[in-house]
Amino acid sequence: MTIRQQIRPFHTVLVANRGEIALRIFRTVRRMGYGAVAVYSEADRASPHVWAADRAVLIGGAAPRDSYLNIQAILDAARRAGADAVHPGYGFLAENADFAQAVDAAGLVFIGPSAEAIRAMGNKAQAKRLMLAAGMPCIPGYQGEDQSEAAFMRAAAEIGFPVMVKAAAGGGGRGMRLVHDGGALPQALASARSEAEAAFGHGELILERAVIAPRHVEIQVLADSHGHAIHLGERDCSVQRRHQKVIEEAPSPAVDAALRARMGEAAVKSALAIGYTGAGTMEFLLDREGRFYFMEMNTRLQVEHAITEAVTGLDLVEWQLRVAAGEPLALPQSEVRLNGHAIEVRLTAEDVPGGFLPQTGPVLRWRPPGPEHDVRVDHGLHEGGAVSPHYDSMIAKLVAHGPTRDQARRKLLRALEHCVLLGLPTNQGFLADCLSDAVFAQGQAVHTGFVQERFGARLAEQAAPALGAVALAAFGALAAEVPGRHGELSIGAPTLGRQAARLELAQGACRWDAQLLAQDGAWQVSVRCAGAGGEHASQTFTLRDARWHGADRAAFSVECDGIAESLTLAAQADALHFFHAGRAWSLERVSRRKSRMAESASGAITAPLTGRIVEVAVRQGETVQAGQRLVVLEAMKMEHLLAAPVAGTVAEVCVSSGGQAAKGALLLRIEA
C-alpha cells in the first residue's frame, strides 16, 4: 500500500470537533505547548470548547453537514487561524478518508492515520476481506457487492439465523439490526440502509452470523511512521444498549495474559499490514469458549480511551501528536504495564423507560462530582446551556481507577450518585443500577446482552420518587419563591408556611399533593400520593434548620425527621426537577399536566424530540391498528419509530417526509 501523509513538526492544532471531545484534546495540546484552534457551529456559539481555545472560527449552521462535516469550511478555518495541523477528534470526520486526504493535500498535518489506511478499514465489507486475507479470524457472513434483497436473503439462509445486519460504513450501532428469521429481514435491511445513509452517507450493508452472548473486547494499538507498533492491552465494552456502549472497563475480566498476547499480536500485525500510524482500535467479539473474531477497526481515538490511559499511565492524545510530528515510539511492548483497573460510564441525554430515546433540553443544573471522589469527568456542559438535537446524545464520561476492579466500581458508583444534571432526562440512574448489579459486580458473566438479560421489561418501568423526596422537593420549590437576604432561609423568621402552602405534582398516572405549614418552630410537610395502580399513601414530615447553599437557591440542606438531608432543584413553570439521594427526578406541575392529558386524549402524536422526518407511513383517512408504524424521526444520529398508541382513523397529518419537527410539535392525530 502506497502511503502519502504529511508527517513533520507543527505548532498550532485545529480540533475539528466539538464539546467534551475538543476540550479533552485541548488539554493535551496546551500541555505540550501547541497553539489551539476551535471550530464551532451556530448552535455552539456558547459552548465551552469555543472559549477553551486560543482562537475559534465559526464554520456554519447547526446541522452537521453545514459545519462539522463541511471539509472545505474546516480547511478554510485552519488557514484563517494559522493552524498547520488538524486533529479530527473521535466523531464527525474522524474516520473520513476524504477529509484526511484533503488535509494532507492542503499541506497540513493530519493527526491520525493516512487516508489510505482509513479507506482500507473504513468499510466493514472491505476491511473484512482484507483481514480474512491476512489470516485474521472473522465472523462468518456476507460482504458481497450485490446489495439486492434477494442476495441478502440467500446469504442469510446459508449463514443461518439469527444474523446481524450492519452498515458497511461507520459504527456506533447505527445501521445495525438483529434479525431472528427470514420474514423480518426485508424490513431490517430497509431500516438499516436508511439509517446508514442518514448517518454515513452510504447505504451499503453486510451480514454476519449473530454470535450468542459474546463479549465485546477491543485492543488499543499505537503505531509510528518508522514501522514500529505496540498494543496497550484490551478494553471490555460489553455493557451496551441499542448496540451502543454505555460502560467500558480495562482490563477485561474475561481476558488472561495468554489471550491478551494473542489478541494483541493479531491487532499489531494487522495495523502494520496496512501501514497504520497513530492510535487505533481493533474490535473483536469474544465467545464463551475464548475464541475471538475480528469485527472492525476504528481508525481514530475511541470515546473510551480514558480507561486505557488510566491503567497504562499514558496520554494517548500526546502520542498521537508525537507520532504525527514524526517521533518514533519510545516504548517497547515489553515495557507496557497494566496497573489496576479502570471503569468508564457514558452519561447520555436519553429517556431510558422510553426505549433509550435521545432527549434534548436545557441544562438547568450541572454539578459534577468534586475532586474528593477521585474520578475523571470529561464533559462540555455548562449551566444555562442546552443539549442540542443536532449532535450525539452522549454528554459526559466518568472514569474511575483503582487497584482492583471492585474498588474502581465502588468509586465510580459513589461518584455517579453525586453527579447532578437537571433539566432533561439522562441515563444516570440506569448507570448506577448497572454498576450495582450483582452480575456486573462479579464480572465474569457479563456479555453484550447483559442489559436486556438483567433488566428486561423493568427498563420500561417509570420509577417514582419516595414520599420523603417529594416532600423535600415541594418544600424547596415553595421556599425558593420566598424573598430572602442572600438566599437565606431561617426558621427564626418562618415567613414560609405561616399560611398553608400547597403544591400538586404528577408523573404519568401518579399524583402527589404536598401541603406545607410552619408550626411549633418547624415546618410540617404532608404528602398524599395517588399511585398508578389506584393505591394511596400519605405521610407527614417535620423539617428544621433549613439553609440554602449559595445565593442561586439551587441546593439546600435540612433536617427531616431527625436526619440531615440535602437536595438540588430547578423549578420551571411546568415542571420541578430535583436531585436527592443519588437520583434525579422530574415531576410535572399539575396545571400543565392537565393540558397534556387533554392533548393525549385527543389522539395527538407529537414529536418526542426535535428532528428530521424520515418517513410518514400513513395517510389521512387511513385506518390504523395499535402499534402500527406511523412516523420515523431521525435525530441525534439515530432513527426513532413512532407507533400508534391506539387503533383508529388518521384524522390529520401535519408533516411530510424530509421536513423538520420541533420537540412537542403535532405530527398527526388519530381518532380512536
Side-chain angles (χ1 to χ4, degrees):
M1 180 183 295
T2 301
I3 302 296
R4 179 180 181 273
Q5 186 178 16
Q6 300 274 352
I7 298 178
R8 56 174 171 75
F10 46 87
H11 58 77
T12 300
V13 178
L14 180 147
V15 177
N17 220 291
R18 65 180 295 277
E20 66 93 4
I21 297 172
L23 287 168
R24 184 271 168 272
I25 295 166
F26 284 151
R27 285 201 300 271
T28 299
V29 165
R30 286 191 176 284
R31 181 175 60 77
M32 294 184 69
Y34 293 112
V37 176
V39 291
Y40 64 98
S41 71
E42 291 282 1
D44 278 341
R45 284 182 175 274
S47 175
H49 84 272
V50 174
W51 311 111
D54 299 315
R55 280 151 291 178
V57 183
L58 175 66
I59 55 172
R65 65 179 176 275
D66 298 329
S67 50
Y68 299 108
L69 294 178
N70 187 330
I71 293 175
Q72 191 56 53
I74 292 171
L75 294 179
D76 289 344
R79 176 185 54 78
R80 292 169 59 192
D84 55 349
V86 175
H87 194 302
Y90 33 101
F92 294 125
L93 295 169
E95 292 182 285
N96 186 304
D98 292 339
F99 180 53
Q101 187 170 319
V103 170
D104 187 85
L108 307 174
V109 175
F110 182 75
I111 301 172
S114 67
E116 292 83 359
I118 295 174
R119 199 166 277 121
M121 292 289 104
N123 180 286
K124 288 187 178 70
Q126 178 176 297
K128 231 178 141 178
R129 290 191 288 266
L130 287 171
M131 292 298 102
L132 283 167
M136 175 78 85
C138 295
I139 304 170
Y142 172 76
Q143 48 276 342
E145 294 182 2
D146 186 348
Q147 291 284 296
S148 67
E149 182 179 301
F152 281 106
M153 293 294 287
R154 289 193 300 270
E158 293 176 6
I159 297 166
F161 289 93
V163 296
M164 192 71 77
V165 177
K166 291 184 176 182
R174 298 174 182 91
M176 186 182 294
R177 302 290 186 273
L178 176 62
V179 184
H180 292 279
D181 57 70
L185 185 57
Q187 178 58 49
L189 291 169
S191 176
R193 195 182 307 280
S194 173
E195 189 168 279
E197 287 173 346
F200 315 120
H202 200 315
E204 184 183 356
L205 302 174
I206 66 171
L207 284 184
E208 288 181 347
R209 187 185 72 201
V211 180
I212 304 304
R215 297 187 83 115
H216 182 142
V217 178
E218 59 192 31
I219 298 288
Q220 176 72 61
V221 296
L222 275 178
D224 63 22
S225 59
H226 305 276
H228 180 46
I230 60 173
H231 73 85
L232 304 179
E234 80 284 354
R235 298 184 289 256
D236 195 312
C237 311
S238 300
V239 180
Q240 306 176 1
R241 53 90 178 98
R242 293 169 60 138
H243 307 299
Q244 291 185 310
K245 306 164 186 174
V246 289
I247 301 178
E248 299 103 351
E249 59 182 305
S252 169
V255 174
D256 59 19
L259 179 56
R260 179 175 302 118
R262 293 201 307 275
M263 295 179 75
E265 182 182 2
V268 167
K269 179 182 176 182
S270 300
L272 290 172
I274 62 171
Y276 197 82
T277 55
T281 305
M282 292 286 183
E283 303 210 4
F284 301 94
L285 287 183
L286 181 66
D287 70 15
R288 294 170 176 174
E289 286 71 44
R291 296 184 293 258
F292 61 92
Y293 303 95
F294 171 81
M295 286 196 300
E296 62 181 336
M297 182 180 190
N298 286 297
T299 53
R300 56 174 170 83
L301 200 64
Q302 295 279 94
V303 171
E304 58 272 23
H305 74 277
I307 53 176
T308 296
E309 293 182 327
V311 297
T312 63
L314 300 174
D315 182 330
L316 296 190
V317 175
E318 176 183 339
W319 276 106
Q320 285 187 300
L321 297 169
R322 293 172 69 170
V323 165
E327 292 187 34
L329 286 175
L331 184 69
Q333 187 67 62
S334 59
E335 293 184 14
V336 175
R337 299 284 186 269
L338 305 183
N339 300 310
H341 203 96
I343 308 177
E344 170 184 291
V345 293
R346 302 187 185 196
L347 186 66
T348 54
E350 59 189 17
D351 176 11
V352 174
F356 296 100
L357 186 69
Q359 297 293 297
T360 61
V363 178
L364 301 178
R365 301 283 181 259
W366 168 240
R367 311 289 166 89
E372 69 276 9
H373 291 283
D374 188 29
V375 296
R376 170 174 167 176
V377 184
D378 288 357
H379 71 91
L381 298 169
H382 64 103
E383 288 192 7
V387 175
S388 166
H390 301 289
Y391 312 120
D392 196 86
S393 62
M394 193 191 80
I395 50 180
K397 303 177 305 186
L398 282 72
V399 182
H401 177 247
T404 68
R405 182 178 186 273
D406 200 53
Q407 288 179 11
R409 182 190 67 85
R410 292 198 310 268
K411 184 191 291 188
L412 186 57
L413 176 59
R414 295 287 89 79
L416 191 61
E417 291 175 339
H418 287 82
C419 185
V420 180
L421 177 58
L422 299 178
L424 71 167
T426 76
N427 67 341
Q428 183 251 357
F430 165 72
L431 294 173
D433 289 341
C434 287
L435 293 175
S436 302
D437 182 82
V439 169
F440 181 84
Q442 187 272 338
Q444 291 297 325
V446 174
H447 56 83
T448 55
F450 165 82
V451 170
Q452 188 60 37
E453 180 180 276
R454 295 297 294 167
F455 297 94
R458 287 190 292 137
L459 289 169
E461 296 175 0
Q462 182 73 61
L467 290 178
V470 175
L472 292 173
F475 171 77
L478 293 169
E481 297 173 359
V482 177
R485 183 166 54 87
H486 300 301
E488 71 176 4
L489 179 60
S490 172
I491 193 65
T495 305
L496 173 67
R498 280 183 172 170
Q499 295 182 340
R502 183 179 178 185
L503 188 63
E504 293 182 85
L505 301 166
Q507 175 187 269
C510 293
R511 183 165 175 161
W512 293 267
D513 184 352
Q515 295 192 49
L516 171 68
L517 184 65
Q519 61 181 40
D520 300 328
W523 289 282
Q524 302 293 323
V525 184
S526 298
V527 181
R528 291 189 295 113
C529 174
E535 69 277 8
H536 289 74
S538 62
Q539 191 171 350
T540 298
F541 302 88
T542 300
L543 276 56
R544 303 177 187 273
D545 299 330
R547 56 182 57 84
W548 293 110
H549 300 289
D552 60 357
R553 298 189 174 204
F556 68 91
S557 59
V558 65
E559 181 190 287
C560 179
D561 288 348
I563 298 176
E565 300 270 15
S566 61
L567 184 139
T568 304
L569 78 162
Q572 293 179 297
D574 61 348
L576 178 61
H577 312 274
F578 60 96
F579 189 92
H580 173 257
R583 294 297 167 105
W585 304 97
S586 182
L587 304 182
E588 295 177 89
R589 294 182 184 266
V590 168
S591 58
R592 172 61 178 148
R593 178 174 181 264
K594 288 177 180 177
S595 65
R596 288 186 180 173
M597 290 181 67
E599 183 182 78
S600 177
S602 72
I605 308 299
T606 58
L609 69 170
T610 299
R612 182 177 67 90
I613 305 298
V614 176
E615 177 190 0
V616 180
V618 294
R619 299 184 302 274
Q620 186 172 341
E622 184 176 339
T623 300
V624 297
Q625 302 300 316
Q628 183 174 331
R629 181 189 189 94
L630 298 178
V631 177
V632 177
L633 185 70
E634 190 271 326
M636 302 181 94
K637 302 185 180 180
M638 296 291 287
E639 284 193 355
H640 310 284
L641 171 64
L642 303 182
V646 294
T649 302
V650 179
E652 184 180 9
V653 177
C654 305
V655 293
S656 58
S657 298
Q660 290 286 124
K663 182 177 180 180
L666 180 65
L667 304 179
L668 55 84
R669 186 167 53 84
I670 298 173
E671 289 184 352

